[in-house]
């Protein structure tokens, strides 16, 4: 375990379903991130939360809705998704203002939209 | 056009052999450059982090180099093992939130 835990590991949902992805970090970091990873493509930043405030929303469709209730937890609420939203969704955390900060990633949620 | 280009896209090597992965970037200036290893079905794990003033950084059998003049970095894997089979991702960081990711190089080590 890296210290960043994502659940579920796999999720299959229909286009009319509503589901949520969960991320929890036990590293004491103050920033959390959602990334989308599609096959053979670079990771795409979706959302950034710093000190529980959303500081970045990378033109993500409204069918993805993030929530950060505290510095240790991050959610991604999903509704009316499209098949092209099928991907690996990665959560990461970091400690801002650290000279050699690094990201710690979770193992991801493999999402399939049918 | 992606600001971080990696090559090759994939490669196959025999166990025990060495290999070098390339990363060319256009992000400038930048805070640091990182190499991550991503096993299938897992999240990326950090291998090395280099600031723009560093030329090389090692982590066991992994050695990363950085040439800020030519905007190139490489990751050298020495005496490859089967467990090195993974995707290796080059990431250039502008600041806390602005990270540019390469698409990765998939390495397959065969016995």
């Amino acid at each position: 375990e890296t210290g960043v835990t994502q659940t579920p590991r796999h999720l299959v949902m229909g286009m009319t379903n509503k589901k949520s992805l969960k991320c929890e970090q036990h590293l004491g970091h103050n920033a959390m991130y959602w990334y989308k990873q599609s096959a053979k493509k670079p990771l795409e930043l979706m959302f950034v939360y710093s000190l529980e405030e959303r500081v970045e929303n990378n033109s993500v469709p409204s069918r993805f809705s993030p929530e950060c209730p505290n510095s240790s937890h991050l959610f991604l609420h999903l509704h009316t998704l499209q098949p092209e939203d099928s991907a690996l969704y990665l959560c990461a955390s970091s400690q801002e203002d650290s000279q050699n900060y690094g990201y710690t990633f979770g193992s991801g949620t493999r999402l399939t939209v049918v | 056009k992606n600001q971080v280009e990696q090559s090759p896209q994939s490669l196959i090597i025999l166990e025990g052999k060495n290999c070098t992965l390339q990363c060319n970037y256009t992000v400038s200036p930048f805070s640091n450059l990182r190499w991550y290893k991503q096993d299938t079905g897992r999240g990326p794990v950090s291998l090395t982090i280099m600031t723009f003033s560093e030329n090389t950084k090692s982590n066991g059998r992994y050695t990363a180099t950085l040439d800020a003049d030519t905007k190139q970095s490489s990751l050298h894997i020495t005496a490859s093992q089967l467990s090195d089979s993974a995707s290796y991702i080059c990431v250039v960081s502008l600041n806390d939130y602005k990270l540019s990711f390469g698409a990765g190089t998939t390495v397959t080590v065969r016995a």
Side-chain angles (χ1 to χ4, degrees):
Chain A
E1 286 297 331
T2 63
V4 178
T5 304
Q6 289 188 243
T7 54
R9 291 294 310 277
H10 301 273
L11 177 63
V12 179
M13 59 184 289
M15 289 188 284
T16 58
N17 291 158
K18 289 184 180 181
K19 297 287 184 182
S20 296
L21 310 184
K22 179 182 177 182
C23 176
E24 185 174 358
Q25 60 100 358
H26 310 280
L27 302 169
H29 288 166
N30 57 13
M32 297 186 76
Y33 312 80
W34 279 117
Y35 281 89
K36 176 184 179 183
Q37 187 176 33
S38 302
K40 305 298 182 185
K41 291 185 179 180
L43 270 73
E44 302 170 48
L45 177 64
M46 300 177 71
F47 301 103
V48 179
Y49 275 83
S50 172
L51 299 173
E52 301 155 42
E53 295 289 328
R54 190 192 309 181
V55 296
E56 186 99 4
N57 179 346
N58 234 21
S59 303
V60 179
S62 59
R63 57 186 184 269
F64 295 92
S65 175
E67 178 189 1
C68 187
N70 55 62
S71 60
S72 299
H73 293 85
L74 185 65
F75 295 90
L76 188 62
H77 304 299
L78 316 171
H79 65 96
T80 60
L81 294 191
Q82 304 297 312
E84 59 264 29
D85 296 322
S86 298
L88 181 68
Y89 288 84
L90 290 164
C91 174
S93 70
S94 71
Q95 182 62 31
E96 292 183 10
D97 302 322
S98 175
Q99 179 65 27
N100 249 343
Y101 70 89
Y103 277 32
T104 301
F105 285 89
S107 294
T109 294
R110 173 66 63 184
L111 173 67
T112 304
V113 181
V114 297
Chain B
K1 191 181 189 314
N2 194 22
Q3 294 181 299
V4 180
E5 298 286 346
Q6 291 188 242
S7 62
Q9 186 175 47
S10 62
L11 68 93
I12 300 173
I13 58 173
L14 292 177
E15 188 178 13
K17 299 297 185 182
N18 305 334
C19 69
T20 300
L21 316 179
Q22 298 293 338
C23 173
N24 295 341
Y25 61 91
T26 58
V27 179
S28 182
F30 69 93
S31 175
N32 57 60
L33 185 146
R34 319 170 198 189
W35 283 93
Y36 283 86
K37 177 187 179 187
Q38 185 174 20
D39 293 313
T40 301
R42 311 289 293 184
V45 175
S46 180
L47 291 176
T48 62
I49 300 177
M50 291 182 291
T51 65
F52 64 88
S53 61
E54 293 180 288
N55 299 121
T56 185
K57 184 69 71 78
S58 290
N59 179 358
R61 294 180 296 100
Y62 300 102
T63 300
T65 64
L66 174 62
D67 186 333
D69 292 331
T70 61
K71 296 186 173 59
Q72 295 179 326
S73 176
S74 66
L75 181 69
H76 187 76
I77 304 176
T78 303
S80 61
Q81 300 177 358
L82 297 178
S83 59
D84 292 330
S85 295
S87 179
Y88 292 85
I89 302 172
C90 176
V91 184
V92 181
S93 171
L94 180 61
N95 58 34
D96 282 348
Y97 311 134
K98 299 295 185 184
L99 270 64
S100 293
F101 289 79
T105 293
T106 301
V107 174
T108 301
V109 181
R110 291 198 174 150

